[in-house]
Amino acid sequence: MPAPTSSIYALELGPMENFVYVIHDHASGRAAVVDPAWEVPKVIDLARDKDIRITDVLLTHSHHDHVNGIGELLKTYDAQLHLLKVEAQFWGSHLNLPTLHHGGDIIQLGKTAIEVLHTPGHTPGSACYYVDGNVITGDTLFVFGCGRCDLRGGDPEEMYRTLKRLGENLSAETVIHPGHNYAETPISTMEEQLAGNPFMHFDDLRAFVHYRMHEHDRIRHSPYRPERMPDH
Ligand SMILES: [Fe+2]
């Protein structure tokens, strides 16, 4: 395998255990911040420590706990904002000239290619970002969990299809970087998720929907651990 062109740094910030990620393209010194929120000075400090220039901001989705640092970050860096068109329409926020994407788009950060995956379920325009064998999953896929589907715009049937697609399309060694630190380890692999994430174990849409909407939050609490197939 060729050497990766980028590094990913994680900051756990705020009262909801959010992960804010910084993707650093080695060749250009450019960086993209994924889901800037909560303690923006810590993001800026990291960029200054590493001597990298934040040129892009990527959103996995529009929930407050993932976006509440955008304004503050853009006061310091003249960065381009990216999100899926579907999510911008769902959010309805008056964003300042964002780049609106469709699933399959590539965001070029210097020499690093970041692929935008449309992964609806938690919100209609939720996105995951694939880069160099890593996937930043927002509130779609957590380590041994998945995002809620009972909030406005959530859809458990879409989540079922999204998780199936991720499991089928991403290789076993793909490293998962979730939007919250809800497990005992901050990152995992797709192989570990296929084996131990109960949401990846369903082959029946109705059973998945029932488990996600009515069962899971009663019987499981973070920190999530690997599990075998839930009983029905
Ligand atoms: Fe969310």
Side-chain angles (χ1 to χ4, degrees), residues 61-66 122-123 138-139 142 151 180:
H61 65 297
S62 58
H63 283 162
H64 176 76
D65 58 314
H66 294 256
H122 181 63
T123 63
D139 287 2
F142 297 135
L151 305 171
H180 291 267

Side-chain angles (χ1 to χ4, degrees), residues 20-21 23 30-36 54-61 66-67 70 73 79-84 99 101 107-109 113-116 127-131 136:
V20 175
Y21 294 103
I23 304 170
R30 286 174 58 184
V33 180
V34 182
D35 290 355
I54 295 171
T55 57
D56 296 83
V57 172
L58 279 49
L59 303 183
T60 63
H61 65 297
H66 294 256
V67 303
I70 293 174
L73 187 67
Q80 182 61 42
L81 188 62
H82 302 261
L83 75 164
L84 281 174
T99 304
H101 291 280
I107 298 169
Q108 199 66 38
L109 182 76
I114 303 169
E115 184 178 354
V116 185
C128 295
Y129 295 102
Y130 182 87
V131 51
I136 294 173

